Amino acid sequence: MTGTPAAHEALAALTLDIAREAAAYVTSARPPGRVPVAQTKSSPTDPVTEIDRATEELIRARIAAARPGDGVVGEEGEAVAGDSGVVWVVDPIDGTVNFMYGIPAFAVSIGVEIDGVVEVGCVVNAATKEEYTAVRGNGAYARTPGGEPVRLAAQAPPALSHALVGTGFNYVLATRLHQARAVTSLLEHVRDIRRGGSAALDLCALAQGRLDAYVEQGLKPWDLAAGGLVAAESGVVLAGLTGRPDERLTMAAPTALAAEYFATVRACGF
Ligand code: LIP
């Protein structure tokens, strides 16, 4: 039953409901000024706030109430195996540093895997309430508050030299320095870069035509699951250094640009 189109659409509706509720909580719970750090993780500049944790608890509670046999993999809590074949991949606040500083680019990102394949994705920018949704094989859509869903089709620039590239830098210094050197090389080949601070929103921006390409090293499954499906369903090709996108490297570009862009990224030493 979980594999039918009707089941996917029902999962998509539930995912959007949960993401909307979580995004509303994120903004309602945010105090004025800078949000205090509760703990750091991979490095002293890799923060988690109490609101990250509380938001993931809210999402997990809604999933358990609606679909008690499903598994959950989340950024802030222990993995839950489940026995339904459905696993929820959750980043309660993607762009935590942006959230801390009050930069309006932080998102609730929820992907839903069925038998190991992400079939549903939802990214809600908690600051702007822009929503991005995708069901595998049924396209990707963006919706602004009060508006109707608009189907997304990624746009390729006229040439690689005109590509606006989204990227990010890792919390771990050694990885960040490696990325900085590679981005410096890449800048010789493209228009410019933008560092938005949320992988999920960067991938949705690519789907929406606000970026032409994307590259980042160090993404976790919860950074990539939902935004990666939105991008793929808008006509974006995603790849890793030697195959599928993963933590080692995630590259993304519209089909017409992909081969040249991927070769250039590899040549720049990412
Ligand atoms: C963030 C990613 C972003 C990356 C940041 C961080 P978080 O996830 O979405 O692309 O550059 O370093 O990893 O930590 O805010 O959930």
Side-chain angles (χ1 to χ4, degrees):
M1 180 58 188
T2 51
T4 65
H8 291 180
E9 290 302 331
L11 268 174
L14 174 61
T15 306
L16 180 56
D17 282 351
I18 294 172
R20 282 173 171 167
E21 183 178 349
Y25 170 76
V26 167
T27 44
S28 67
R30 190 186 187 287
R34 192 162 297 179
V35 180
V37 175
Q39 188 179 357
T40 58
K41 299 184 286 188
S42 64
S43 81
T45 56
D46 179 1
V48 61
T49 72
E50 290 301 345
I51 299 170
D52 287 85
R53 290 171 172 165
T55 304
E56 184 162 322
E57 286 170 15
L58 180 160
I59 293 168
R60 285 171 178 258
R62 295 295 179 277
I63 293 167
R67 296 180 53 90
D70 289 2
V72 181
V73 171
E75 179 169 18
E76 310 305 346
E78 294 300 316
V80 173
D83 57 13
S84 66
V86 176
V87 177
W88 296 67
V89 186
V90 176
D91 192 337
I93 302 178
D94 188 56
T96 296
V97 172
N98 286 350
F99 175 65
M100 276 176 55
Y101 281 76
I103 299 169
F106 44 91
V108 175
S109 175
I110 303 177
V112 183
E113 286 182 359
I114 300 175
D115 299 329
V117 177
V118 179
E119 297 287 350
V120 172
C122 181
V123 178
V124 177
N125 183 326
T128 67
K129 297 300 184 284
E130 288 177 290
E131 301 169 349
Y132 303 90
T133 57
V135 175
R136 187 173 296 278
N138 282 6
Y141 293 83
R143 185 183 174 278
T144 53
E148 291 299 317
V150 174
R151 180 131 189 191
L152 298 177
Q155 297 169 257
L160 178 63
S161 59
H162 287 62
L164 186 65
V165 177
T167 192
F169 300 101
N170 199 272
Y171 292 121
V172 174
L173 182 57
T175 306
R176 192 155 72 245
L177 292 177
H178 173 255
Q179 291 169 310
R181 286 189 289 271
V183 165
T184 299
S185 299
L186 183 63
L187 276 167
E188 294 176 40
H189 303 277
V190 300
R191 171 196 292 268
D192 201 345
I193 69 161
R194 291 290 183 271
R195 200 290 193 242
S198 163
L201 289 177
D202 285 346
L203 288 162
C204 292
L206 180 51
Q208 200 167 23
R210 294 177 175 172
L211 290 173
D212 295 313
Y214 172 78
V215 59
E216 188 157 356
Q217 179 181 342
L219 296 191
K220 303 295 188 188
W222 43 78
D223 295 321
L224 178 58
L229 182 62
V230 169
E233 285 296 314
S234 76
V236 168
V237 180
L238 291 95
L241 199 58
T242 58
R244 294 171 52 77
D246 58 15
E247 186 167 358
R248 169 61 186 83
L249 190 71
T250 292
M251 306 182 281
T255 306
L257 186 70
E260 182 185 10
Y261 175 67
F262 293 169
T264 301
V265 166
R266 293 187 179 102
C268 288
F270 277 88

